[in-house]
Amino acid sequence: MYVVPDQTGRKAVVTGANSGTGKEAARRLAAAGAQVIMAVRTPDKGERARAEILERHPDARLEVRRVDLADLASVRAFADGVLADPAPLDLLVNNAGVMAPPTRMTTADGFELQFGSNFLGPFALTVRLLPALLAATAPRVATMSSGTAAYGRIGFDDLQWERRRYRPNLSYAQSKLADLILTRQLAALAADRGWNLLSTAAHPGYTTTNLQTAGASLGGEPSRLHRLGRRLDFLPRQGVEQGTEPLLFAAADPGAVAGGYYGPGRRLGLVGPTTTARITRRALDPATNARLWAAAERLTGVTVPETAPTGTTGPGATIRGTTAPGTTAPATPPGP
């Protein structure tokens, strides 16, 4: 089992920390000494997960806070709460997501659910938390992608699947490719601005969690992706402890590099110890990455100023969006 390096004195936010890889990441980061904010959509589930972790690690420092990545107002409120603490934020783990609901659904702001929850929400959260991250000595943002990113396409002419026929698996693949692009573009931005911020990504291979079933149960009959998964029981799979290790490597290991991508190293990249994963060429084009970043800024109304504040946290240090306080993106998001 991968041993997480000492995290004493570090403060971390882990999204989706009530179950699966998020819960395991929160547990092992806290066991290594980190103060962990468990960012969850349903606080009751988060409190149950916290109690379970404390049973194994009584000295763990864990706090449950609510955030709904499918609601930009919730993202803003959560970020403001983190920024209100003068202590810097050392680590953001963008783990939460939804997978392959069988019918097209939308977020509170009118975005297609997978693109909104898996990419736009984490994007807005990351940018809003930059002041707290840049105040830390060695901050990191680790974002969970997926092996499906390898066949993802960014449909710039229809990011929300409004004009083309909704395909659950291709929508998911687009959102996970977007997460990989988020990682690469944030790393490029950090290098350009001279920020001491490490942006990394990971994928869990074929790890058994509730992700495969929770999304598929939304809105109707199970999706083709879910049905296909049930027919692929012969494929190698692994438990959550092993499957979380690429994310933990990306989040905490001194060997992780800017823009690095990590995943299981055995049997088609589905299981096994962590290794460097191949990045699809669709996430390696700087022009495409910058274009998607600009589209995300426009859709969420959250932008990075020309000079991002460093060394200061608190509500006044919040990176402001282009929309007025208390407003969100339009109900029907414009195209890029």
Side-chain angles (χ1 to χ4, degrees):
M1 179 180 292
Y2 175 71
V3 178
V4 177
D6 182 30
Q7 298 295 296
T8 301
R10 290 177 65 80
K11 178 180 176 182
V13 167
V14 180
T15 66
N18 61 287
S19 66
T21 54
K23 178 182 172 183
E24 181 68 7
R27 180 184 75 81
R28 288 164 73 173
L29 288 168
Q35 172 193 350
V36 179
I37 297 174
M38 301 173 68
V40 301
R41 186 166 60 92
T42 307
D44 286 348
K45 294 181 180 179
E47 292 292 350
R48 287 196 293 272
R50 177 179 179 272
E52 291 171 8
I53 294 172
L54 288 172
E55 286 181 1
R56 297 181 63 178
H57 308 285
D59 296 328
R61 293 186 298 161
L62 301 161
E63 178 186 358
V64 175
R65 298 191 191 181
R66 183 182 187 276
V67 66
D68 184 353
L69 294 170
D71 183 344
L72 292 177
S74 176
V75 170
R76 179 179 184 137
F78 176 87
D80 284 350
V82 175
L83 293 170
D85 183 347
L89 178 63
D90 300 280
L91 171 63
L92 169 62
V93 180
N94 288 317
N95 165 80
V98 62
M99 182 179 182
T103 59
R104 184 184 182 277
M105 304 175 71
T106 57
T107 69
D109 306 285
F111 303 120
E112 187 274 316
L113 183 62
Q114 295 189 91
F115 191 70
S117 298
N118 296 352
F119 170 62
L120 292 176
F123 170 87
L125 180 63
T126 300
V127 175
R128 287 196 179 279
L129 289 178
L130 276 177
L133 287 161
L134 296 177
T137 302
R140 289 198 191 196
V141 176
T143 300
M144 185 70 96
S145 182
S146 164
T148 63
Y151 63 82
R153 305 286 192 279
I154 304 298
F156 282 107
D157 59 340
D158 188 19
L159 289 171
Q160 311 300 333
W161 295 84
E162 294 173 305
R163 293 188 289 275
R164 49 187 167 155
R165 183 170 67 89
Y166 173 72
R167 301 278 295 278
N169 56 328
L170 296 184
S171 171
Y172 181 72
Q174 174 184 252
S175 73
K176 292 285 112 178
L177 173 59
D179 285 335
L180 196 49
I181 288 174
L182 164 63
T183 297
R184 300 286 297 181
Q185 186 63 14
L186 181 59
L189 188 63
D192 183 62
R193 301 286 183 91
W195 300 341
N196 186 30
L197 171 71
L198 192 66
S199 175
T200 60
H203 77 83
Y206 194 173
T207 295
T208 304
T209 71
N210 67 349
L211 180 67
Q212 294 95 343
T213 56
S217 67
L218 294 174
E221 293 297 320
S223 66
R224 286 181 59 195
L225 182 63
H226 180 54
R227 294 196 300 271
L228 177 62
R230 289 187 298 187
R231 292 198 297 269
L232 296 179
D233 285 343
F234 63 90
L235 288 175
R237 66 184 68 188
Q238 60 191 3
V240 71
E241 288 189 353
Q242 181 82 66
T244 306
E245 293 190 351
L247 183 62
L248 288 168
F249 185 96
D253 200 274
V257 300
Y261 186 36
Y262 305 98
R266 295 178 184 165
R267 303 183 71 183
L268 306 175
L270 297 176
V271 297
T274 299
T275 189
T276 300
R278 185 183 71 84
I279 300 174
T280 174
R281 60 180 176 80
R282 297 183 186 89
L284 295 175
D285 177 30
T288 298
N289 295 357
R291 183 183 179 188
L292 182 62
W293 185 281
E297 287 188 326
R298 185 163 58 251
L299 290 166
T300 64
V302 182
T303 61
V304 180
E306 285 302 312
T307 304
T310 60
T312 303
T313 58
T318 303
I319 292 181
R320 298 298 177 187
T322 56
T323 52
T327 65
T328 62
T332 303

